[in-house]
Amino acid sequence: MQFKHCRLEFDGPVATLVLDHQEVMNAVSMDMLAGLTEAMDAIDEKRDEVRCLVITGAGKAFCTGANLQGRNDTSGKRQSAGTSLETGFHPFLRRLRNLHCPIVSSVNGPAAGAGMSFALMGDLIVCARSSYFLQAFRRIGLVPDCGSTWILPRLIGKARSVELSLMGERLPAEKALEWGLVNRVVDDAALAEETKKLAHDLANGPTVALSLIRRLYWESENNSFEEQLDLEQQFQRVAGRSEDFKEGVGAFLEKRPAKFKGR
């Protein structure tokens, strides 16, 4: 399915959202954000079929941030940096945050600015060895946005986060792995296959439980210990009523592989 500067591909229960504006290394314009919104609508329409989402970029880049040459929307009206966040970037990020299934970020090249934030929305992040991350905002006199000042310190600590943002230096994939920012780094030629394997493993799993797991970890950052215990209990009740739980227990007792259906 083709949308403005992005496309959506389906491989069984796995949907792949490809940022595709290679002339600007997949930098994000308001037009692309409109396309991403339509793509997310299409995923919602197929929510019973889509059990894992992969996000990647076309060509040599994952996403190099906001498209400074394409700040105008389709009406030709120039939007301020703050307005474009409120009307375009934030709704997309919230939809990823609240998605019904696990997300795998497949970082095939530079992930800079907002593109870095897009990548960090993945529940699992797989990187090509040549890829890198960049908090590019200071290079054009802006502050980090798209949630990066919330996500980064929780993943790699305040000191490293502040340095990345103040200095605007590249963070190679191998160093990102060492710091705990990403999950896996593979050779460039192996990225597509590793991503496919990981995504299908998730999609064929107990996706009711996997969805609840990702929600638990998102909520844990702001909950007290007691609040998190209560939320775990609440979600465990939901998971315990699923068909996948019954199948998982039955498969365990019968010593056979489980066949989960995401219900």
Side-chain angles (χ1 to χ4, degrees):
M1 302 174 71
Q2 188 70 45
F3 305 97
K4 190 67 173 179
H5 299 319
C6 66
R7 66 180 188 271
L8 194 57
E9 302 171 348
F10 296 96
D11 180 15
V14 175
T16 299
L17 180 57
V18 184
L19 309 180
D20 191 2
H21 194 183
Q22 297 182 50
E23 295 85 351
V24 292
M25 300 183 74
N26 304 326
V28 185
S29 62
M30 296 304 294
D31 282 345
M32 178 186 280
L33 286 166
L36 291 172
T37 297
E38 292 181 4
M40 295 302 293
D41 289 342
I43 291 170
D44 282 344
E45 291 174 2
K46 293 178 175 286
R47 62 180 296 124
D48 291 338
E49 303 170 35
V50 175
R51 297 174 63 185
C52 182
L53 174 65
V54 173
I55 302 177
T56 193
K60 298 180 179 180
F62 178 82
C63 174
T64 54
N67 184 354
L68 300 180
Q69 296 178 342
R71 290 175 57 203
N72 296 350
D73 60 22
T74 52
S75 69
K77 182 179 179 181
R78 180 174 292 277
Q79 295 195 344
S80 71
T83 299
S84 65
L85 287 174
E86 182 180 6
T87 62
F89 287 90
H90 291 176
F92 175 63
L93 290 165
R94 290 188 180 106
R95 293 188 76 169
L96 293 179
R97 157 74 168 79
N98 296 314
L99 194 64
H100 69 280
C101 63
I103 300 172
V104 176
S105 293
S106 184
V107 184
N108 56 306
M116 181 172 179
S117 295
F118 285 8
L120 296 181
M121 293 300 293
D123 301 299
L124 294 175
I125 305 171
V126 186
C127 299
R129 204 170 302 279
S130 67
S131 66
Y132 63 86
F133 298 89
L134 177 65
Q135 285 285 285
F137 304 95
R138 61 98 68 194
R139 298 189 177 193
I140 56 172
L142 289 178
V143 302
D145 59 27
C146 290
S148 58
T149 59
W150 188 92
I151 295 174
L152 277 174
R154 287 165 170 78
L155 293 177
I156 60 175
K158 178 184 175 183
R160 287 170 170 167
S161 301
V162 171
E163 181 176 357
L164 285 176
S165 300
L166 290 181
M167 301 306 296
E169 297 174 342
R170 293 183 180 186
L171 178 65
E174 294 280 10
K175 181 63 71 173
L177 179 64
E178 179 184 324
W179 284 6
L181 188 67
V182 305
N183 299 93
R184 302 181 187 183
V185 175
V186 299
D187 291 339
D188 290 23
L191 180 65
E193 186 60 32
E194 180 69 14
T195 299
K196 180 178 180 179
K197 178 181 177 182
L198 189 60
H200 277 275
D201 187 32
L202 290 169
N204 292 323
T207 45
V208 171
L210 299 186
S211 174
L212 295 172
I213 288 170
R214 73 186 302 267
R215 288 176 59 189
L216 278 170
Y217 279 104
W218 273 108
E219 297 295 338
S220 70
E221 298 291 352
N222 297 315
N223 282 346
S224 68
F225 180 65
E226 291 298 327
E227 289 170 334
Q228 195 68 11
L229 286 177
D230 290 340
L231 191 61
E232 289 175 350
Q233 179 188 33
Q234 176 187 336
F235 284 6
Q236 198 68 288
R237 287 178 176 174
V238 175
R241 293 194 294 267
S242 69
E243 292 181 22
D244 282 344
F245 171 64
K246 296 176 184 177
E247 166 63 13
V249 172
F252 175 79
L253 294 176
E254 296 168 15
K255 297 182 180 179
R256 60 173 175 81
K259 296 181 180 179
F260 297 114
K261 297 180 179 179
R263 296 196 293 266

